[in-house]
Amino acid sequence: MTRALRHDLYAVGAAVLLVTASVLIGRHIQHAHHTLRVNWPPLLGSWGPHLGPGTPVAVVVAVTTVGYGPALAARLPWRALLAAAWGTATAWILSLALIDGWQRGVAGRLASRHEYLQVVGRFHDVPAALRDFTHHILLESPDNWPAHVAGHPPAATLTFVLLDRIGLRGGGWAGTWCVAVGATACVAVLVAVRALADEGLARRAAPFLVLAPAAVWMGTSADAYFAAVAAWSVALPALAVTGRRVRSGALGSGLLFGLTCYLSYGLTLFALIGAAVLLLGRGRVRERPELPVLLLAGAAVVPMAFTLAGFDWWEAYRLLVTRYRQGAGGIRPYGYWVWANLACAVLITGLATAAGLRRTGATLRHSRGVSLPRPDGTQRSGADARLALLVAAALLALLVADLSGMSKAETERIWLPFALWLLPSCAFLTRPRAWLAAQAALALLLNHLLLTGW
């Protein structure tokens, strides 16, 4: 056993201990005080071993990806790899969801009493609903919004209103939208890694992005859709700062980042990952001063539209903080969740990512600065350091979200957008098939042993 592999296993052991402690201590706190407000801490779910129609498909996808994924990722043409990644990720997410059956696993998720579809009928007059949105956030307000509607800016709800308006009504279409769009997040991450680091690292990361344990919660969670929008808001400036589609990339990135902020308040932290992209591309930014101008102009479009329509983002967030403290967020103990949330992060990113993050830290310690590749791709030095910096920015955003205290529990869902940017750290690992098998096994066990939900 090499020294590096031994250190990887130390990191995995630490991650296993963290999860074990969160389970044992969490069960004690919940049994004694009932303050965690989850049935199977640290996850929001309950024990319920089961099989379903998605079981055989999920097993086939897992076995095939473990067996052939690394080799195919290495030799497929780049565009074919992106298409294969999206298709396989979609199959993995959907098959895991169907382990719970169509109704419970897909159609019923976004139609539950906490979800967005409950209020579609209240948006007959969209401008009036936006002007009135903040008046229904607090629990004591008349006709208060369901938890997920109140907990997000209205672009999240409007997405499902628009689907309803074009005839894609009900939980089945809403779930299908989240799966199909959410699966593109892995494509966005691959595009960004290839642009900012190099193609070889992107190819090695591809199977890990496809077979992520996070897929257990991406199955018809609206956060999967949020994750995709946020991921593309990073991928587009990555193309811009490397000389590809400078103007359209910068403007498109700004538009998507503005939309991201109006899908979820917490995803404003994606500015940290965006800042890492601009840091890596600082040379290009100096050469093309219009790039940050276009980015900021694009970022202003969605906020301006919602503000002119009568929605006050800052007031809504202030009221949300109050609503959060009125509900389970005010009861759940910060002292437990501030570290148990990280155990949730282990479960959604897998043990391979724990080892990958260990290697990311080692890469940053030994790097001597980073330089971006030329647009023609001829400069490859420092690719590992560039990828490590991108992953570290995502980890920093996740830690800030954790320390904020606004993510106590349910982070297996809420942190999906950040988690996807930790997975490329697995590109640093050797023996990819063994690590992929561990990732797949964790996802299958979680989905078959627990009844997940929110």
Side-chain angles (χ1 to χ4, degrees):
M1 181 184 297
T2 64
R3 183 170 179 267
L5 180 57
R6 185 167 64 252
H7 288 176
D8 291 343
L9 295 179
Y10 291 157
V12 168
V16 170
L17 287 174
L18 177 64
V19 172
T20 303
S22 70
V23 172
L24 296 178
I25 295 173
R27 288 176 66 86
H28 170 73
I29 294 173
Q30 180 64 9
H31 178 75
H33 306 289
H34 305 287
T35 55
L36 298 188
R37 297 298 183 93
V38 294
N39 292 329
W40 206 86
L43 300 176
L44 183 64
S46 56
W47 182 257
H50 62 290
L51 299 173
T55 296
V57 180
V59 171
V60 169
V61 172
V63 171
T64 303
T65 305
V66 171
Y68 301 100
L72 285 173
R75 66 171 182 261
L76 279 175
W78 177 248
R79 291 187 179 180
L81 172 60
L82 295 181
W86 176 79
T88 309
T90 301
W92 179 235
I93 295 168
L94 189 57
S95 63
L96 288 173
L98 289 174
I99 290 171
D100 294 337
W102 172 256
Q103 183 58 38
R104 188 183 189 282
V106 179
R109 287 292 179 97
L110 291 168
S112 71
R113 64 189 182 93
H114 298 299
E115 288 285 1
Y116 305 96
L117 296 187
Q118 291 293 319
V119 302
V120 166
R122 293 170 62 178
F123 279 75
H124 294 301
D125 185 339
V126 171
L130 292 177
R131 289 193 299 270
D132 199 41
F133 192 88
T134 56
H135 298 150
H136 304 284
I137 292 177
L138 296 180
L139 281 176
E140 67 268 17
S141 61
D143 297 322
N144 63 77
W145 298 121
H148 287 188
V149 177
H152 295 83
T157 305
L158 281 181
T159 299
F160 300 103
V161 171
L162 292 174
L163 287 176
D164 182 83
R165 294 280 176 88
I166 64 174
L168 304 180
R169 299 183 177 89
W173 282 114
T176 301
W177 165 266
C178 290
V179 170
V181 175
T184 68
C186 75
V187 178
V189 176
L190 289 176
V191 168
V193 171
R194 180 184 187 236
L196 296 171
D198 72 9
E199 187 171 315
L201 287 170
R203 288 178 178 276
R204 293 209 296 272
F208 292 96
L209 283 158
V210 165
L211 214 57
V216 173
W217 293 275
M218 291 185 75
T220 64
S221 163
D223 293 84
Y225 157 51
F226 305 161
V229 176
W232 284 107
S233 78
V234 173
L236 291 182
L239 293 175
V241 299
T242 52
R244 307 171 182 90
R245 302 183 179 89
V246 175
R247 293 180 179 177
S248 60
L251 187 60
S253 169
L255 285 168
L256 288 179
F257 180 70
L259 176 58
T260 297
C261 295
Y262 278 73
L263 290 171
S264 174
Y265 297 103
L267 294 187
T268 54
L269 291 172
F270 255 72
L272 293 173
I273 306 177
V277 173
L278 295 180
L279 175 64
L280 287 169
R282 57 194 179 276
R284 173 64 59 172
V285 173
R286 284 193 294 266
E287 293 171 4
R288 302 291 296 268
E290 75 272 21
L291 193 153
V293 174
L294 288 170
L295 197 155
L296 291 173
V301 172
V302 173
M304 185 179 297
F306 274 94
T307 301
L308 292 175
F311 173 73
D312 187 334
W313 191 97
W314 292 103
E315 174 66 7
Y317 180 71
R318 184 187 68 80
L319 292 170
L320 168 64
V321 173
T322 301
R323 165 85 180 244
Y324 186 71
R325 292 168 180 165
Q326 289 176 328
I331 298 170
R332 288 168 171 159
Y334 180 85
Y336 170 78
W337 287 110
V338 74
W339 60 271
N341 284 337
L342 301 179
C344 289
V346 170
L347 293 173
I348 63 177
T349 59
L351 298 178
T353 304
L357 290 176
R358 200 281 306 171
R359 294 206 177 205
T360 297
T363 299
L364 287 174
R365 285 195 303 272
H366 296 109
S367 65
R368 297 183 178 179
V370 293
S371 57
L372 201 66
R374 297 189 186 100
D376 62 6
T378 58
Q379 183 178 344
R380 296 174 58 86
S381 62
D384 287 359
R386 294 192 295 272
L387 176 57
L389 180 62
L390 185 65
V391 171
L395 181 60
L396 176 61
L398 184 148
L399 292 175
V400 172
D402 186 32
L403 293 173
S404 74
M406 289 296 290
S407 300
K408 290 184 287 187
E410 302 182 54
T411 49
E412 65 270 23
R413 170 183 59 81
I414 298 169
W415 285 359
L416 287 174
F418 303 115
L420 293 177
W421 291 91
L422 303 182
L423 292 165
S425 65
C426 297
F428 295 134
L429 299 174
T430 57
R431 304 182 184 181
R433 286 190 178 86
W435 291 111
L436 277 171
Q439 298 287 87
L442 176 60
L444 291 170
L445 282 172
L446 287 170
N447 216 144
H448 283 94
L449 295 178
L450 298 178
L451 294 169
T452 59
W454 39 89

